[in-house]
Amino acid sequence: APSPGRYMGNGCSSAQMSECEKALERGRENHWCSLAGKGLKCVPPPAMEASTLLRLDLSRNMLRELPHTLGKLVNLQALFLRENRLVSLPEEIGLCVALEEIHADSNRLTALPDSVGDLFGLRVLRLRDNLLHTVPNTLGRCHRLRVLDVRALPCLLLLFV
């Protein structure tokens, strides 16, 4: 495993880096990494380099953005981002072609990237309690989408008034 010092200067503390590496090690067998509730203000780079991850939980942190390297997680099937401070998702999320679930409730999202429409296997998209006024038209390409949770969004007022 890379040493935490390798990533210094990226905004993550050495303790957060160490915690991330421990979480990745614990989840190696089941390809699951939970960094929920760790007080993260940035995503530790080792989490974005774990290309075998199937599930990544970054919920209940203080994240304002996700790194563009998210697109390296091509095997990721479920991404949990609940209760952060995210205002957008990177365009590179569309490179996570195995994604089936995105749980991004209770953030500050104002827009979704068009590349969300490239997630053809997406089944669940939870966006409750955000600041979205619309979703991209490209979402219509996600033919497997079964759950689109947009409760408590300003766009509901626009759609149903």
Side-chain angles (χ1 to χ4, degrees):
S3 70
R6 172 180 169 200
Y7 301 106
M8 298 299 29
N10 68 359
C12 294
S13 72
S14 60
Q16 290 171 331
M17 297 298 295
S18 179
E19 183 66 32
C20 176
E21 289 177 0
K22 287 177 188 172
L24 286 167
E25 188 59 38
R26 283 191 301 269
R28 192 170 308 280
E29 280 186 37
N30 60 5
H31 305 283
W32 163 262
C33 180
S34 178
L35 294 171
K38 303 291 184 195
L40 298 175
K41 292 183 179 178
C42 69
V43 179
M48 296 295 108
E49 294 173 2
S51 61
T52 61
L53 271 184
L54 300 180
R55 301 170 69 84
L56 177 60
D57 190 350
L58 296 167
S59 299
R60 297 183 327 275
N61 283 294
M62 296 181 284
L63 301 172
R64 294 183 188 276
E65 63 183 2
L66 296 177
H68 298 288
T69 53
L70 176 68
K72 292 181 178 181
L73 301 179
V74 295
N75 294 307
L76 194 65
Q77 296 174 358
L79 180 60
F80 299 88
L81 302 168
R82 295 182 193 111
E83 298 177 38
N84 277 288
R85 298 174 182 173
L86 298 169
V87 295
S88 65
L89 299 177
E91 191 69 35
E92 290 82 0
I93 198 167
L95 299 174
C96 300
V97 294
L99 259 179
E100 297 176 2
E101 300 178 32
I102 299 173
H103 301 264
D105 305 306
S106 301
N107 278 284
R108 298 174 183 171
L109 294 173
T110 58
L112 292 178
D114 286 340
S115 66
V116 169
D118 297 335
L119 303 174
F120 301 120
L122 192 64
R123 294 181 299 105
V124 176
L125 180 57
R126 295 191 183 276
L127 301 168
R128 181 182 44 216
D129 295 322
N130 276 287
L131 302 173
L132 293 166
H133 290 282
T134 186
V135 294
N137 292 338
T138 58
L139 200 56
R141 297 191 309 234
C142 300
H143 297 291
R144 293 186 179 167
L145 191 62
R146 297 293 175 258
V147 176
L148 175 59
D149 186 352
V150 292
R151 288 178 283 172
L153 290 184
C155 69
L156 288 179
L157 299 175
L158 298 173
L159 292 172
F160 299 107
V161 171

